[in-house]
Amino acid sequence: MRIRGDLPDPATDRAERAEIERAEIERVRDERVDVTRIAVACRVLGKLDLTREPAGHVSMRVGPDRVLIKSRGADESGLRFAGDADVVAVDLAGRRLDGGGSAGVPKEVFLHLAVYRANPGVRGVAHVHPVTPVLLTICAVPLLPLIGAYDPLALRLLNRGIPVYPRSVLIATPELGAQVAEVLGDSAACLLRGHGVTTTGDSPEEAALNAIKVNEMAELSYRAHLLGTPQPTDPADIAAIGEVGAEVRRGHVESAWRYYCRLVGETPVGPAAPR
């Protein structure tokens, strides 16, 4: 540490500069991987038909004032064909920083940013337009925990509650984004009436996986209503399945994500990469 009045030490200055350069090289390298993670998550959701092209986006918070998000514009590729060049960096005010090629910042960036502001622990957000969840919102059919050991990941997601944002507009202003974030609360998923689904997670992969699970549970609920009156799972059975620790949950998420990637011919990167 340099004390006021001391003469500069050239060796110390060189070491400090070298450390700063190493840190920046690491940050850039890690962010390149994060950009690819977002592109892969987009392609998985697109290939699973969870959105009407080219609608939808996945984002990741990578710094206090830096978010990576799938871009939108005339030159974009759409979710199914998203690549690294389709990812743009923005600050928490929605201003473009870099990346994204000739495409721009999506109008609904404010949905993502509001969720990050309201939930500092969230690192990934996905927003897609799957048909069956949208149908349920149109008919005011709630997504309830109807299953148990059939899919514990989905059960835990449902048991946290999946609220519905009542408006059907583009979330294109900070005020509308704040409204959605308030409805979402501590849940990891929110339905937007006549619009789509917004999900969160500790990573873009978990956010995308939660969107997949919401869609699967909506499909199950839809079929159950065709057969009769669905009965929610007994609370005692939900309690018996219970929650799991963060490390166990992370393992479940990574395993499930690898499955869906391989199902659609994608290779996961980042924490869920094959070992």
Side-chain angles (χ1 to χ4, degrees), residues 27-49:
R27 186 196 69 79
V28 170
R29 182 191 61 207
D30 291 346
E31 188 163 296
R32 284 174 180 164
V33 174
D34 293 336
V35 164
T36 301
R37 291 169 66 185
I38 292 170
V40 170
C42 288
R43 291 197 297 271
V44 170
L45 294 176
K47 290 178 179 180
L48 290 172
D49 293 323

PDB file of all heavy atoms in Angstrom, residues 27-49:
ATOM      1  N   ARG A  27     -12.165 -11.319 -16.962  1.00  0.00           N
ATOM      2  CA  ARG A  27     -13.551 -10.859 -17.094  1.00  0.00           C
ATOM      3  C   ARG A  27     -14.037 -11.021 -18.528  1.00  0.00           C
ATOM      4  O   ARG A  27     -15.144 -11.525 -18.761  1.00  0.00           O
ATOM      5  CB  ARG A  27     -13.675  -9.391 -16.677  1.00  0.00           C
ATOM      6  CG  ARG A  27     -15.113  -8.874 -16.648  1.00  0.00           C
ATOM      7  CD  ARG A  27     -15.182  -7.367 -16.617  1.00  0.00           C
ATOM      8  NE  ARG A  27     -14.731  -6.767 -17.867  1.00  0.00           N
ATOM      9  CZ  ARG A  27     -15.502  -6.706 -18.960  1.00  0.00           C
ATOM     10  NH1 ARG A  27     -16.718  -7.210 -18.979  1.00  0.00           N
ATOM     11  NH2 ARG A  27     -15.020  -6.136 -20.058  1.00  0.00           N
ATOM     12  N   VAL A  28     -13.230 -10.619 -19.483  1.00  0.00           N
ATOM     13  CA  VAL A  28     -13.616 -10.721 -20.886  1.00  0.00           C
ATOM     14  C   VAL A  28     -13.785 -12.188 -21.278  1.00  0.00           C
ATOM     15  O   VAL A  28     -14.750 -12.552 -21.968  1.00  0.00           O
ATOM     16  CB  VAL A  28     -12.571 -10.028 -21.789  1.00  0.00           C
ATOM     17  CG1 VAL A  28     -12.843 -10.334 -23.258  1.00  0.00           C
ATOM     18  CG2 VAL A  28     -12.580  -8.525 -21.541  1.00  0.00           C
ATOM     19  N   ARG A  29     -12.858 -13.046 -20.825  1.00  0.00           N
ATOM     20  CA  ARG A  29     -12.961 -14.472 -21.141  1.00  0.00           C
ATOM     21  C   ARG A  29     -14.234 -15.077 -20.559  1.00  0.00           C
ATOM     22  O   ARG A  29     -14.965 -15.802 -21.239  1.00  0.00           O
ATOM     23  CB  ARG A  29     -11.736 -15.208 -20.590  1.00  0.00           C
ATOM     24  CG  ARG A  29     -11.708 -16.712 -20.917  1.00  0.00           C
ATOM     25  CD  ARG A  29     -10.621 -17.397 -20.123  1.00  0.00           C
ATOM     26  NE  ARG A  29     -10.860 -17.263 -18.689  1.00  0.00           N
ATOM     27  CZ  ARG A  29      -9.901 -17.273 -17.772  1.00  0.00           C
ATOM     28  NH1 ARG A  29      -8.636 -17.348 -18.127  1.00  0.00           N
ATOM     29  NH2 ARG A  29     -10.211 -17.164 -16.480  1.00  0.00           N
ATOM     30  N   ASP A  30     -14.512 -14.771 -19.274  1.00  0.00           N
ATOM     31  CA  ASP A  30     -15.722 -15.306 -18.638  1.00  0.00           C
ATOM     32  C   ASP A  30     -16.974 -14.783 -19.333  1.00  0.00           C
ATOM     33  O   ASP A  30     -17.954 -15.526 -19.494  1.00  0.00           O
ATOM     34  CB  ASP A  30     -15.755 -14.916 -17.162  1.00  0.00           C
ATOM     35  CG  ASP A  30     -14.679 -15.627 -16.347  1.00  0.00           C
ATOM     36  OD1 ASP A  30     -14.089 -16.597 -16.861  1.00  0.00           O
ATOM     37  OD2 ASP A  30     -14.425 -15.196 -15.203  1.00  0.00           O
ATOM     38  N   GLU A  31     -16.954 -13.512 -19.729  1.00  0.00           N
ATOM     39  CA  GLU A  31     -18.145 -12.953 -20.362  1.00  0.00           C
ATOM     40  C   GLU A  31     -18.398 -13.580 -21.734  1.00  0.00           C
ATOM     41  O   GLU A  31     -19.545 -13.734 -22.140  1.00  0.00           O
ATOM     42  CB  GLU A  31     -18.036 -11.435 -20.477  1.00  0.00           C
ATOM     43  CG  GLU A  31     -19.335 -10.802 -20.964  1.00  0.00           C
ATOM     44  CD  GLU A  31     -19.417  -9.320 -20.710  1.00  0.00           C
ATOM     45  OE1 GLU A  31     -19.418  -8.911 -19.522  1.00  0.00           O
ATOM     46  OE2 GLU A  31     -19.487  -8.566 -21.698  1.00  0.00           O
ATOM     47  N   ARG A  32     -17.350 -13.946 -22.443  1.00  0.00           N
ATOM     48  CA  ARG A  32     -17.547 -14.629 -23.719  1.00  0.00           C
ATOM     49  C   ARG A  32     -18.281 -15.947 -23.514  1.00  0.00           C
ATOM     50  O   ARG A  32     -19.149 -16.323 -24.300  1.00  0.00           O
ATOM     51  CB  ARG A  32     -16.194 -14.872 -24.396  1.00  0.00           C
ATOM     52  CG  ARG A  32     -15.592 -13.619 -25.029  1.00  0.00           C
ATOM     53  CD  ARG A  32     -14.198 -13.893 -25.544  1.00  0.00           C
ATOM     54  NE  ARG A  32     -13.609 -12.702 -26.146  1.00  0.00           N
ATOM     55  CZ  ARG A  32     -12.325 -12.547 -26.398  1.00  0.00           C
ATOM     56  NH1 ARG A  32     -11.470 -13.534 -26.096  1.00  0.00           N
ATOM     57  NH2 ARG A  32     -11.878 -11.431 -26.945  1.00  0.00           N
ATOM     58  N   VAL A  33     -17.917 -16.640 -22.437  1.00  0.00           N
ATOM     59  CA  VAL A  33     -18.626 -17.884 -22.112  1.00  0.00           C
ATOM     60  C   VAL A  33     -20.076 -17.575 -21.757  1.00  0.00           C
ATOM     61  O   VAL A  33     -21.002 -18.286 -22.189  1.00  0.00           O
ATOM     62  CB  VAL A  33     -17.924 -18.623 -20.949  1.00  0.00           C
ATOM     63  CG1 VAL A  33     -18.750 -19.842 -20.521  1.00  0.00           C
ATOM     64  CG2 VAL A  33     -16.527 -19.057 -21.357  1.00  0.00           C
ATOM     65  N   ASP A  34     -20.308 -16.523 -20.981  1.00  0.00           N
ATOM     66  CA  ASP A  34     -21.674 -16.149 -20.583  1.00  0.00           C
ATOM     67  C   ASP A  34     -22.523 -15.782 -21.798  1.00  0.00           C
ATOM     68  O   ASP A  34     -23.718 -16.100 -21.849  1.00  0.00           O
ATOM     69  CB  ASP A  34     -21.637 -14.984 -19.596  1.00  0.00           C
ATOM     70  CG  ASP A  34     -21.021 -15.364 -18.261  1.00  0.00           C
ATOM     71  OD1 ASP A  34     -21.037 -16.567 -17.932  1.00  0.00           O
ATOM     72  OD2 ASP A  34     -20.525 -14.464 -17.554  1.00  0.00           O
ATOM     73  N   VAL A  35     -21.940 -15.110 -22.763  1.00  0.00           N
ATOM     74  CA  VAL A  35     -22.655 -14.775 -24.001  1.00  0.00           C
ATOM     75  C   VAL A  35     -23.108 -16.055 -24.692  1.00  0.00           C
ATOM     76  O   VAL A  35     -24.262 -16.172 -25.138  1.00  0.00           O
ATOM     77  CB  VAL A  35     -21.755 -13.933 -24.935  1.00  0.00           C
ATOM     78  CG1 VAL A  35     -22.322 -13.904 -26.349  1.00  0.00           C
ATOM     79  CG2 VAL A  35     -21.615 -12.510 -24.384  1.00  0.00           C
ATOM     80  N   THR A  36     -22.218 -17.037 -24.763  1.00  0.00           N
ATOM     81  CA  THR A  36     -22.570 -18.312 -25.394  1.00  0.00           C
ATOM     82  C   THR A  36     -23.651 -19.036 -24.591  1.00  0.00           C
ATOM     83  O   THR A  36     -24.557 -19.658 -25.165  1.00  0.00           O
ATOM     84  CB  THR A  36     -21.327 -19.200 -25.524  1.00  0.00           C
ATOM     85  OG1 THR A  36     -20.341 -18.513 -26.306  1.00  0.00           O
ATOM     86  CG2 THR A  36     -21.660 -20.519 -26.209  1.00  0.00           C
ATOM     87  N   ARG A  37     -23.586 -18.946 -23.255  1.00  0.00           N
ATOM     88  CA  ARG A  37     -24.609 -19.577 -22.413  1.00  0.00           C
ATOM     89  C   ARG A  37     -25.994 -19.018 -22.734  1.00  0.00           C
ATOM     90  O   ARG A  37     -26.983 -19.768 -22.821  1.00  0.00           O
ATOM     91  CB  ARG A  37     -24.284 -19.362 -20.937  1.00  0.00           C
ATOM     92  CG  ARG A  37     -23.064 -20.113 -20.455  1.00  0.00           C
ATOM     93  CD  ARG A  37     -22.618 -19.661 -19.075  1.00  0.00           C
ATOM     94  NE  ARG A  37     -23.609 -20.000 -18.050  1.00  0.00           N
ATOM     95  CZ  ARG A  37     -23.488 -19.620 -16.780  1.00  0.00           C
ATOM     96  NH1 ARG A  37     -22.452 -18.890 -16.391  1.00  0.00           N
ATOM     97  NH2 ARG A  37     -24.416 -19.970 -15.899  1.00  0.00           N
ATOM     98  N   ILE A  38     -26.067 -17.701 -22.909  1.00  0.00           N
ATOM     99  CA  ILE A  38     -27.350 -17.075 -23.238  1.00  0.00           C
ATOM    100  C   ILE A  38     -27.834 -17.534 -24.613  1.00  0.00           C
ATOM    101  O   ILE A  38     -29.011 -17.864 -24.795  1.00  0.00           O
ATOM    102  CB  ILE A  38     -27.225 -15.545 -23.184  1.00  0.00           C
ATOM    103  CG1 ILE A  38     -27.003 -15.087 -21.740  1.00  0.00           C
ATOM    104  CG2 ILE A  38     -28.477 -14.866 -23.754  1.00  0.00           C
ATOM    105  CD1 ILE A  38     -26.643 -13.631 -21.608  1.00  0.00           C
ATOM    106  N   ALA A  39     -26.936 -17.570 -25.584  1.00  0.00           N
ATOM    107  CA  ALA A  39     -27.315 -18.000 -26.930  1.00  0.00           C
ATOM    108  C   ALA A  39     -27.817 -19.445 -26.926  1.00  0.00           C
ATOM    109  O   ALA A  39     -28.819 -19.774 -27.579  1.00  0.00           O
ATOM    110  CB  ALA A  39     -26.130 -17.852 -27.887  1.00  0.00           C
ATOM    111  N   VAL A  40     -27.136 -20.320 -26.172  1.00  0.00           N
ATOM    112  CA  VAL A  40     -27.575 -21.719 -26.078  1.00  0.00           C
ATOM    113  C   VAL A  40     -28.955 -21.798 -25.427  1.00  0.00           C
ATOM    114  O   VAL A  40     -29.842 -22.527 -25.904  1.00  0.00           O
ATOM    115  CB  VAL A  40     -26.549 -22.563 -25.285  1.00  0.00           C
ATOM    116  CG1 VAL A  40     -27.122 -23.949 -24.970  1.00  0.00           C
ATOM    117  CG2 VAL A  40     -25.256 -22.713 -26.073  1.00  0.00           C
ATOM    118  N   ALA A  41     -29.158 -21.055 -24.342  1.00  0.00           N
ATOM    119  CA  ALA A  41     -30.461 -21.071 -23.667  1.00  0.00           C
ATOM    120  C   ALA A  41     -31.571 -20.617 -24.611  1.00  0.00           C
ATOM    121  O   ALA A  41     -32.667 -21.199 -24.635  1.00  0.00           O
ATOM    122  CB  ALA A  41     -30.421 -20.180 -22.421  1.00  0.00           C
ATOM    123  N   CYS A  42     -31.285 -19.586 -25.408  1.00  0.00           N
ATOM    124  CA  CYS A  42     -32.270 -19.117 -26.389  1.00  0.00           C
ATOM    125  C   CYS A  42     -32.602 -20.216 -27.392  1.00  0.00           C
ATOM    126  O   CYS A  42     -33.778 -20.469 -27.709  1.00  0.00           O
ATOM    127  CB  CYS A  42     -31.749 -17.886 -27.114  1.00  0.00           C
ATOM    128  SG  CYS A  42     -31.716 -16.375 -26.129  1.00  0.00           S
ATOM    129  N   ARG A  43     -31.577 -20.877 -27.911  1.00  0.00           N
ATOM    130  CA  ARG A  43     -31.806 -21.901 -28.929  1.00  0.00           C
ATOM    131  C   ARG A  43     -32.589 -23.082 -28.372  1.00  0.00           C
ATOM    132  O   ARG A  43     -33.459 -23.644 -29.053  1.00  0.00           O
ATOM    133  CB  ARG A  43     -30.469 -22.369 -29.509  1.00  0.00           C
ATOM    134  CG  ARG A  43     -29.763 -21.320 -30.355  1.00  0.00           C
ATOM    135  CD  ARG A  43     -28.686 -21.930 -31.234  1.00  0.00           C
ATOM    136  NE  ARG A  43     -27.607 -22.551 -30.501  1.00  0.00           N
ATOM    137  CZ  ARG A  43     -26.498 -21.932 -30.081  1.00  0.00           C
ATOM    138  NH1 ARG A  43     -26.353 -20.624 -30.310  1.00  0.00           N
ATOM    139  NH2 ARG A  43     -25.551 -22.587 -29.439  1.00  0.00           N
ATOM    140  N   VAL A  44     -32.282 -23.465 -27.135  1.00  0.00           N
ATOM    141  CA  VAL A  44     -33.021 -24.575 -26.528  1.00  0.00           C
ATOM    142  C   VAL A  44     -34.500 -24.226 -26.424  1.00  0.00           C
ATOM    143  O   VAL A  44     -35.375 -25.026 -26.809  1.00  0.00           O
ATOM    144  CB  VAL A  44     -32.436 -24.933 -25.144  1.00  0.00           C
ATOM    145  CG1 VAL A  44     -33.354 -25.920 -24.415  1.00  0.00           C
ATOM    146  CG2 VAL A  44     -31.035 -25.520 -25.295  1.00  0.00           C
ATOM    147  N   LEU A  45     -34.817 -23.042 -25.919  1.00  0.00           N
ATOM    148  CA  LEU A  45     -36.218 -22.631 -25.790  1.00  0.00           C
ATOM    149  C   LEU A  45     -36.886 -22.545 -27.161  1.00  0.00           C
ATOM    150  O   LEU A  45     -38.045 -22.936 -27.332  1.00  0.00           O
ATOM    151  CB  LEU A  45     -36.304 -21.284 -25.067  1.00  0.00           C
ATOM    152  CG  LEU A  45     -35.851 -21.277 -23.601  1.00  0.00           C
ATOM    153  CD1 LEU A  45     -35.884 -19.864 -23.043  1.00  0.00           C
ATOM    154  CD2 LEU A  45     -36.719 -22.204 -22.760  1.00  0.00           C
ATOM    155  N   GLY A  46     -36.165 -22.021 -28.153  1.00  0.00           N
ATOM    156  CA  GLY A  46     -36.726 -21.922 -29.496  1.00  0.00           C
ATOM    157  C   GLY A  46     -36.990 -23.285 -30.111  1.00  0.00           C
ATOM    158  O   GLY A  46     -38.042 -23.521 -30.706  1.00  0.00           O
ATOM    159  N   LYS A  47     -36.027 -24.205 -29.963  1.00  0.00           N
ATOM    160  CA  LYS A  47     -36.176 -25.537 -30.555  1.00  0.00           C
ATOM    161  C   LYS A  47     -37.258 -26.361 -29.860  1.00  0.00           C
ATOM    162  O   LYS A  47     -37.808 -27.300 -30.446  1.00  0.00           O
ATOM    163  CB  LYS A  47     -34.842 -26.279 -30.518  1.00  0.00           C
ATOM    164  CG  LYS A  47     -33.802 -25.705 -31.468  1.00  0.00           C
ATOM    165  CD  LYS A  47     -32.477 -26.446 -31.373  1.00  0.00           C
ATOM    166  CE  LYS A  47     -31.450 -25.876 -32.341  1.00  0.00           C
ATOM    167  NZ  LYS A  47     -30.161 -26.599 -32.260  1.00  0.00           N
ATOM    168  N   LEU A  48     -37.554 -26.022 -28.604  1.00  0.00           N
ATOM    169  CA  LEU A  48     -38.646 -26.689 -27.890  1.00  0.00           C
ATOM    170  C   LEU A  48     -39.997 -26.023 -28.164  1.00  0.00           C
ATOM    171  O   LEU A  48     -41.006 -26.375 -27.552  1.00  0.00           O
ATOM    172  CB  LEU A  48     -38.370 -26.694 -26.388  1.00  0.00           C
ATOM    173  CG  LEU A  48     -37.230 -27.608 -25.920  1.00  0.00           C
ATOM    174  CD1 LEU A  48     -36.938 -27.382 -24.442  1.00  0.00           C
ATOM    175  CD2 LEU A  48     -37.572 -29.077 -26.176  1.00  0.00           C
ATOM    176  N   ASP A  49     -40.005 -25.058 -29.076  1.00  0.00           N
ATOM    177  CA  ASP A  49     -41.234 -24.347 -29.471  1.00  0.00           C
ATOM    178  C   ASP A  49     -41.903 -23.645 -28.295  1.00  0.00           C
ATOM    179  O   ASP A  49     -43.134 -23.617 -28.194  1.00  0.00           O
ATOM    180  CB  ASP A  49     -42.223 -25.318 -30.142  1.00  0.00           C
ATOM    181  CG  ASP A  49     -41.714 -25.827 -31.485  1.00  0.00           C
ATOM    182  OD1 ASP A  49     -41.079 -25.034 -32.208  1.00  0.00           O
ATOM    183  OD2 ASP A  49     -41.945 -27.005 -31.798  1.00  0.00           O
TER     184      ASP A  49
END
